[in-house]
């Protein structure tokens, strides 16, 4: 039994760094062994730190301080040469920074009235087709899509109808960006709503409610015909939706799993294998999952309409790294198995997940 | 009286005595044989054989073989000597008795010693077993640790290797870029020289465009490709707004905010209240069907209140309460009627009853509770019990801090109280 256990992927701790500020997000800089940490300093300002992984240690290369605490960031909408970093902060501002010259942002807009909880980018890094765009979701209940070529106004705005009491948007993700026209945005809210907006037709394509607040949503790949969507929530549950078949009334088929008692803060798919994903939990744990497709992904219902069939999820490995929630997680797009996670114990950890080839 | 077995036969060597004792048809078990170093007894009631041995024997190693109607003893002598006889000849009764007792005692002691020795050996065995398992587990743990460590080192090495690759490729790119930049600079210098030699303006214009063209051709590869890509990108979308609704719930709070337990209780109470029917229906038999429905009666009462017919409204509510005394709204509305009729004590009573029924306090019954507090407060004030009145108004204000009317009324009451205290 022990031998079988060692055949599974192992999560090896490679390096860690204690920080002197609250860490909200960490991201790998594409095509490098560097990573960005961003968060909120005790004095109420925002901090952005650039680290390099050298010989089992994280070496601080640069520290940038900004007026407002930073909540989230993405490289998703930038080119590989420029590698500009987009951030959302506590004041509702969206900024795009050139890390070589970070004094003045390349693009800046006060996009929301309240904190930007989540940000995603698409169309950059040589992945996918179409214009680079950034989407932000905020506590003010709106989801806005921005094009860095257009100043001040978003190119799409998903907001509550007049008079509707707003609900916090906690997470956003791009998907279905397989050609120049197609693109969707998925948003998760604190009352358990998940909404799928189609940017080509500018309409709401699907919505559902998973009862508990949605902490994180992610498509397994942004740049393909939408395949799978994972949504994680409070109280330890996550749902995997099969996005290939949409039933007219039932929507998308899903399978759900309850991993642990605490909130699942993040889900991130492995860039090199879209059926493997990692979830991070409120109890400081990481779980590595594998999705298995069913024999048939769709079937006909009693009226002859196509409906999807969800597969199954199996746990490959889990490890507890901290006593505090692990709130951010990012896989390196360049080295399979290399990932960074940030926890509320003010520590950023670099991990290596082994044996992913054998899964 | 035992029956003595005397038909025994014996022979001896220097070191041992062989004794055979026929026991014809008797079932013999080892329990029947008792032997110490000087005394041998076989007791199979009612048969008995005993022998006070001539000399001591080694009773631990001596054996007795039971079988075929005969017991065969092999007794090893402690001292090698030939015995004159099997038993001691002149053994008087007392000596016999003493020897017997002694033998028993000795046997007991021996048994005790044996158990002690057994215990000790058992303990030692246990300890040994424990140590052995611990060693095994330790070894296993170490093995796993080693494997993990090896894994870690391997992975670290791979990472370093990959990093080096990255750095090398980046260095290459940098060198390439520098080379191209250098080329560009050279070309620019040449163009500048050419420009300086030109004299006419149109030619300058032409050279400028040539400059741009050459730049486009010989410029760095990445910039060129980027320009192309930009042209291929679609234009930014035309700004559109999508309006959304959020999932509504009975209680518009998310699971994390809801006070589900209390809300469930409130819903349950309401459902029960609706189902309650008072038992006292005998005298109400001559009422019309609809008049037996508390809801219908409540509506009737409301209508009559609206037209100003307060007495009739009170009657309607009274009947409704007789049918179902668990509906808070009946008391609430009746309190309003009593206020209008200046039945202030009754108004207070009814408002209090309504508040009692409006527990647990949830958002759903907020409005009702505010009304109840306000009505009771008004009644108190009209009875000149201003402090109690103010208490109720403040309770109402706590539920709905934004209500200006309640705030104003509360202020008025406060002034009144201050006014009266000043007077007195």
């Amino acid at each position: 039994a022990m031998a079988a256990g060692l055949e599974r992927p192992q999560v090896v701790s490679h390096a860690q760094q204690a920080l002197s500020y609250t860490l909200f997000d960490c991201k790998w800089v594409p095509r490098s062994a560097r990573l960005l940490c961003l968060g909120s300093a005790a004095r109420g300002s925002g901090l952005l730190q650039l680290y390099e992984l050298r010989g089992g240690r994280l070496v601080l290369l640069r520290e940038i301080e900004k007026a407002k605490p930073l909540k989230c960031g993405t490289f998703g909408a930038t080119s590989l040469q420029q590698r500009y970093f987009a951030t959302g902060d506590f004041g509702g501002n969206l900024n795009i920074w050139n890390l070589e010259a970070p004094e003045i942002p390349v693009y800046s807009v006060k996009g929301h009235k309240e904190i930007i909880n989540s940000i995603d980018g698409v169309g950059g890094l040589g992945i996918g087709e179409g214009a680079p765009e950034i989407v932000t979701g905020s506590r003010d209940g709106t989801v806005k899509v921005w094009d860095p070529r257009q100043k001040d106004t978003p190119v799409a705005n998903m907001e509550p109808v007049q008079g509707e009491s707003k609900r916090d948007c906690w997470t956003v993700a791009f998907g279905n960006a397989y050609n120049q026209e197609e693109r969707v945005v998925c948003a998760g809210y604190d009352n358990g709503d998940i909404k799928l907006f189609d940017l080509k037709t500018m309409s709401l394509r699907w919505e559902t409610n998973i009862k508990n607040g949605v902490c994180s949503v992610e498509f397994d790949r942004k740049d393909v015909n939408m395949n799978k969507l994972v949504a994680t929530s409070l109280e330890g549950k996550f749902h995997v939706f099969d996005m290939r078949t949409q039933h007219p009334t039932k929507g998308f088929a899903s399978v759900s799993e309850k991993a642990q008692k605490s909130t699942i803060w993040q889900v991130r798919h492995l860039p090199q294998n879209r059926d493997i994903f990692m979830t991070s939990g409120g109890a400081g744990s990481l779980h590595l999952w594998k999705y298995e497709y069913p024999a048939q992904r769709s079937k006909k219902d009693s009226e002859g309409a196509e409906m999807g069939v969800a597969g199954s999820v199996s746990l490959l490995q889990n490890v507890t790294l901290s006593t505090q929630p692990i709130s951010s997680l990012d896989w390196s797009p360049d080295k399979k198995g290399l990932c960074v996670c940030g926890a509320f114990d003010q520590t950023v950890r670099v991990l290596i997940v082994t044996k992913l080839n054998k899964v | 009286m035992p029956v003595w077995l005397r038909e025994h036969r014996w022979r001896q060597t220097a070191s041992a005595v062989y004794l055979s004792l026929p026991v014809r048809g008797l079932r013999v078990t080892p329990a029947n044989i008792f032997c110490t170093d000087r005394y041998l007894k076989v007791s199979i009631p009612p048969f008995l054989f005993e022998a006070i041995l001539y000399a001591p024997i080694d009773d631990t190693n001596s054996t007795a073989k039971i079988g075929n109607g005969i017991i065969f003893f092999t007794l090893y002598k402690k001292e090698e000597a030939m015995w004159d006889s099997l038993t001691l000849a002149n053994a008087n009764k007392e000596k016999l008795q003493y020897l017997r007792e002694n033998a028993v005692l000795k046997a007991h002691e021996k048994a005790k010693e044996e158990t002690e020795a057994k215990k000790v050996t058992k303990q030692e065995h246990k300890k040994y077993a424990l140590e052995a398992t611990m060693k095994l587990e330790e070894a296993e743990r170490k093995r796993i640790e080693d494997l993990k460590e090896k894994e870690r080192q391997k992975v670290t090495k791979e990472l370093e290797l990959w990093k080096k690759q990255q750095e090398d490729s980046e260095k290459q790119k940098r060198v390439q870029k520098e080379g191209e930049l250098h080329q560009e600079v050279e070309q620019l210098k040449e163009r500048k020289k050419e420009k300086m030699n030109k004299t006419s303006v149109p030619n300058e214009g032409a050279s400028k465009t040539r400059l741009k063209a050459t730049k486009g051709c010989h410029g760095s590869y990445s910039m060129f490709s980027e320009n192309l890509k930009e042209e291929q990108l679609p234009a930014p979308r035309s700004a559109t707004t999508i309006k959304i609704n959020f999932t509504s719930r009975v209680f518009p709070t998310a699971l994390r905010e809801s006070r589900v337990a209390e809300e469930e209780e409130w819903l349950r109470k309401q459902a029960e209240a609706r189902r309650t029917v008072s038992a006292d229906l005998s005298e109400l038999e001559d009422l019309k069907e609809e008049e037996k429905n508390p809801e219908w009666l409540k509506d009737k009462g409301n209508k009559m209140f609206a037209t100003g017919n307060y007495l009739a409204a009170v009657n309607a509510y009274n009947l409704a309460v007789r049918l179902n005394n668990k509906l808070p709204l009946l008391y609430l509305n009746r309190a309003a009627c009593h206020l209008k009729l200046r039945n202030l004590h009754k108004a207070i009573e009814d408002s209090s009853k309504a508040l009692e029924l409006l527990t647990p306090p949830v958002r759903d019954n907020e409005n009702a509770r505010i009304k109840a507090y306000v009505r009771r407060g008004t009644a108190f004030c009209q009875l000149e019990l201003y402090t109690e009145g103010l208490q109720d108004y403040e309770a109402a204000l706590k539920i709905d801090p934004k209500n200006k009317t309640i705030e104003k009324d509360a202020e008025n009451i406060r002034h009144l109280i201050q006014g009266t205290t000043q007077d007195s």
Side-chain angles (χ1 to χ4, degrees):
Chain A
M2 264 304 163
L6 285 171
E7 286 309 309
R8 298 197 294 179
Q10 301 292 321
V11 178
V12 175
S13 172
H14 181 73
Q16 63 185 54
Q17 179 74 14
L19 305 170
S20 57
Y21 58 94
T22 308
L23 179 64
F24 284 113
D25 203 358
C26 49
K27 287 283 189 301
W28 288 101
V29 178
R31 294 277 191 280
S32 76
R34 297 199 207 112
L35 57 94
L36 272 180
C37 293
L38 58 85
S40 162
R43 49 190 175 272
S45 58
L47 269 181
L48 194 56
Q49 284 188 330
L50 180 66
Y51 284 94
E52 181 161 32
L53 196 58
R54 266 188 228 160
R57 276 170 43 248
L58 283 171
V59 176
L60 179 63
L61 294 182
R62 185 176 312 154
E63 184 168 306
I64 303 163
E65 191 164 341
K66 292 293 164 198
K68 286 268 182 0
L70 297 168
K71 179 69 166 59
C72 51
T74 179
F75 278 107
T78 180
S79 68
L80 280 170
Q81 290 81 8
Q82 289 175 329
R83 292 189 283 186
Y84 291 163
F85 191 58
T87 60
D89 70 18
F90 275 51
N93 303 300
L94 166 67
N95 288 311
I96 304 183
W97 309 98
N98 176 354
L99 296 169
E100 308 288 323
E103 302 76 32
I104 315 269
V106 170
Y107 179 93
S108 179
V109 63
K110 180 155 165 66
H112 293 272
K113 300 194 191 91
E114 297 189 62
I115 180 176
I116 295 179
N117 279 318
S118 172
I119 191 171
D120 194 16
V122 74
L125 301 179
I127 302 171
E129 316 258 336
E133 278 173 337
I134 295 172
V135 63
T136 52
S138 162
R139 192 191 284 165
D140 66 5
T142 64
V143 173
K144 297 187 185 173
V145 181
W146 309 88
D147 187 313
R149 298 168 293 179
Q150 179 170 297
K151 290 169 92 57
D152 301 328
T153 39
V155 294
N157 181 2
M158 282 69 99
E159 63 181 14
V161 302
Q162 198 76 322
E164 175 94 20
S165 60
K166 63 170 180 69
R167 301 244 51 122
D168 298 9
C169 173
W170 278 355
T171 177
V172 288
F174 273 116
N176 208 33
Y178 64 91
N179 66 23
Q180 293 211 355
E181 289 96 30
E182 294 287 344
R183 201 163 281 182
V184 300
V185 165
C186 182
Y189 298 83
D190 75 326
N191 66 343
D193 275 349
I194 300 178
K195 297 189 192 295
L196 191 68
F197 305 106
D198 187 327
L199 294 180
K200 180 169 141 196
T201 60
M202 280 299 179
S203 62
L204 177 65
R205 183 152 160 189
W206 168 68
E207 58 181 344
T208 183
N209 184 298
I210 59 172
K211 303 287 184 296
N212 283 304
V214 184
C215 297
S216 174
V217 288
E218 197 192 44
F219 285 94
D220 57 359
R221 286 277 177 276
K222 289 186 235 199
D223 56 334
V224 301
N225 197 347
M226 53 185 190
N227 191 43
K228 295 202 306 298
L229 173 74
V230 177
T232 72
S233 74
L234 305 176
E235 298 186 23
K237 279 185 95 164
F238 69 88
H239 302 251
V240 183
F241 294 92
D242 183 318
M243 304 301 274
R244 276 290 158 87
T245 318
Q246 182 170 9
H247 187 270
T249 48
K250 296 189 195 142
F252 296 102
S254 75
V255 62
S256 78
E257 189 76 34
K258 189 170 162 113
Q260 57 214 47
K261 291 203 195 109
S262 52
T263 304
I264 302 186
W265 284 74
Q266 282 283 6
V267 62
R268 286 281 179 264
H269 289 87
L270 186 64
Q272 296 86 1
N273 182 341
R274 66 184 180 181
D275 299 324
I276 298 180
F277 57 92
M278 184 114 89
T279 57
S280 72
S285 60
L286 290 175
H287 292 250
L288 188 68
W289 304 89
K290 180 168 167 61
Y291 180 81
E292 261 122 32
Y293 294 95
Q296 286 220 302
R297 284 187 73 174
S298 72
K299 62 175 188 217
K300 289 212 192 295
D301 71 352
S302 48
E303 278 119 39
E306 287 280 335
M307 57 186 266
V309 177
S312 63
V313 168
S314 62
L315 178 64
L316 292 177
Q317 185 60 270
N318 76 323
V319 63
T320 303
L321 298 172
S322 164
T323 52
Q324 296 289 325
I326 297 182
S327 58
S328 59
L329 184 57
D330 193 35
W331 294 101
S332 164
D334 306 304
K335 175 91 179 81
K336 185 172 187 175
L338 183 65
C339 67
V340 63
C341 66
F344 282 149
D345 60 358
Q346 298 197 341
T347 311
V348 60
R349 294 175 172 83
V350 176
L351 312 164
I352 303 174
V353 181
T354 62
K355 296 204 186 71
L356 285 171
N357 293 317
K358 301 199 187 129
V359 166
Chain B
M1 273 303 292
V3 178
W4 292 97
L5 296 167
R6 298 207 194 271
E7 296 168 345
H8 58 277
R9 281 191 299 276
W10 71 289
R11 58 180 183 84
Q12 61 170 317
T13 63
S15 57
V17 172
Y18 304 100
L19 170 67
S20 62
L21 179 69
V23 287
R24 269 193 318 256
L26 293 173
R27 276 254 303 274
V28 190
T29 61
N32 299 119
I33 303 173
F34 177 70
C35 177
T36 64
D37 59 343
R38 293 214 66 166
Y39 177 72
L40 176 65
K41 175 171 87 163
V42 180
S43 160
I44 311 162
F47 299 96
L48 182 59
F49 166 83
E50 70 171 5
I52 315 274
L53 300 165
Y54 187 81
I57 55 156
D58 182 0
D59 54 312
T60 19
N61 289 328
S62 306
T63 59
K65 204 154 150 204
I66 306 170
N68 283 336
I70 201 168
I71 307 179
F72 190 74
F73 291 96
T74 312
L75 309 168
Y76 294 99
K77 296 180 182 169
K78 271 211 181 131
E79 276 176 26
E80 297 204 6
M82 297 303 282
W83 289 2
D84 294 339
S85 70
L86 179 63
T87 57
L88 275 178
N90 353 327
N92 55 6
K93 224 176 174 173
E94 281 177 5
K95 198 159 185 213
L96 271 173
Q97 186 71 349
Y98 168 74
L99 274 170
R100 274 198 207 112
E101 281 175 12
N102 207 7
V104 172
L105 268 167
K106 269 208 186 138
H108 274 184
E109 272 178 34
K110 207 155 161 220
K112 239 195 250 170
E113 271 172 31
E114 267 178 23
T115 40
E116 289 288 339
K118 248 201 216 165
K119 248 197 236 168
V120 170
T121 33
K122 203 170 171 191
Q123 281 283 67
E124 280 183 24
H125 283 174
K126 262 200 194 156
K127 222 172 160 186
Y128 177 72
L130 189 65
E131 275 174 15
T133 27
M134 274 174 69
K135 246 189 243 153
L136 274 172
E137 279 180 8
E138 190 61 42
E140 185 65 29
R141 213 177 298 155
K142 201 154 182 309
R143 187 179 73 93
I144 294 174
E145 275 298 322
D146 285 341
L147 279 169
K148 278 201 180 149
E149 187 59 38
K150 249 190 251 155
E151 190 86 32
R152 207 176 298 162
Q153 285 176 358
K154 186 171 81 158
V155 145
T156 317
K157 251 190 242 150
E158 272 183 34
L159 196 65
E160 291 301 312
L161 202 70
W162 168 75
K163 258 198 62 199
K164 218 169 162 298
Q165 282 178 359
Q166 291 288 98
E167 283 173 15
D168 287 341
S169 68
E170 251 186 53
K171 261 194 217 135
Q172 267 195 5
K173 268 199 210 145
R174 221 176 295 154
V175 167
Q176 198 189 13
K177 254 201 180 146
E178 277 175 13
E180 285 167 1
L181 256 158
H182 192 73
Q183 270 187 26
E184 269 187 54
V185 167
E186 292 294 305
Q187 283 171 9
L188 266 170
K189 280 198 189 140
E190 283 186 30
R191 293 285 168 266
K192 259 196 183 157
K193 280 198 203 130
E194 277 188 35
K195 243 177 57 176
M196 293 216 286
N197 295 339
K198 287 275 191 318
T199 45
S200 55
V201 172
N203 280 348
E204 223 183 313
S207 72
K208 265 201 188 140
T209 50
R210 245 190 296 141
L211 196 78
K212 270 209 182 126
T214 45
K215 226 191 171 180
C217 290
H218 296 292
S220 69
Y221 176 69
S222 52
M223 204 177 79
F224 186 67
S225 65
E226 250 193 276
N227 281 338
L228 256 187
K229 204 165 182 226
E230 269 196 48
E231 285 166 24
Q232 286 177 348
L233 285 178
R237 294 173 208 277
S238 45
T240 335
T241 311
I242 305 175
K243 294 285 184 188
I244 55 175
N245 286 310
F246 292 109
T247 311
S248 59
R249 287 163 55 99
V250 177
F251 302 102
T253 53
L255 202 62
R256 67 193 165 114
E257 290 167 13
S258 76
R259 299 152 73 206
V260 177
E262 288 154 307
E263 287 165 336
E264 295 288 333
E265 207 193 320
W266 171 244
L267 282 173
R268 197 174 33 87
K269 256 193 168 178
Q270 293 274 294
E272 262 178 53
R274 268 176 251 133
R275 273 182 264 132
T276 312
V277 180
S278 307
D280 185 20
L281 287 177
S282 51
E283 40 179 56
L284 307 171
E285 270 174 13
D286 51 341
L287 285 175
K288 287 198 286 225
E289 193 52 50
E290 48 185 13
E291 286 176 355
K292 286 193 206 147
N293 182 356
E295 288 292 320
W296 183 87
L297 286 166
K298 185 172 73 129
D299 287 331
K300 243 351 194 167
N302 293 347
K303 280 198 206 117
M304 287 192 259
F305 183 88
T307 55
N309 190 347
Y310 303 121
L311 281 170
V314 170
N315 279 335
Y317 292 130
N318 287 346
L319 185 55
V321 164
R322 272 174 73 189
L323 289 168
N324 185 339
N325 58 1
K326 291 250 185 296
L327 295 173
L329 293 175
L330 296 175
Y331 295 100
L332 191 62
N333 294 356
R334 203 168 65 176
C337 297
H338 283 308
L339 267 183
K340 294 284 185 192
L341 292 168
R342 303 230 52 183
N343 296 337
L344 300 169
H345 290 278
K346 289 218 173 127
I348 293 174
E349 233 183 81
D350 276 341
S351 310
S352 305
K353 182 82 184 157
L355 278 170
E356 234 181 79
L357 287 169
L358 286 170
T359 47
V362 287
R363 217 196 279 190
D364 208 45
N365 53 25
E366 252 176 23
N367 285 334
R369 277 184 290 133
I370 293 176
K371 283 195 196 134
Y373 279 121
V374 169
R375 282 170 196 167
R376 200 168 67 178
T378 320
F380 275 128
C381 291
Q382 296 196 353
L383 283 171
E384 301 197 14
L385 297 165
Y386 293 114
T387 11
E388 283 80 6
L390 185 59
Q391 268 178 2
D392 276 338
Y393 267 94
E394 294 197 323
L397 210 53
K398 207 165 92 173
I399 305 174
D400 184 14
K402 300 208 187 85
N403 192 319
K404 295 285 181 225
T405 348
I406 301 179
E407 227 186 278
K408 217 162 38 110
D409 288 336
E411 268 303 299
N412 288 344
I413 301 172
R414 259 183 233 118
H415 284 159
L416 266 169
I417 294 177
Q418 284 170 353
T420 46
T421 49
Q422 271 180 4
D423 283 347
S424 56

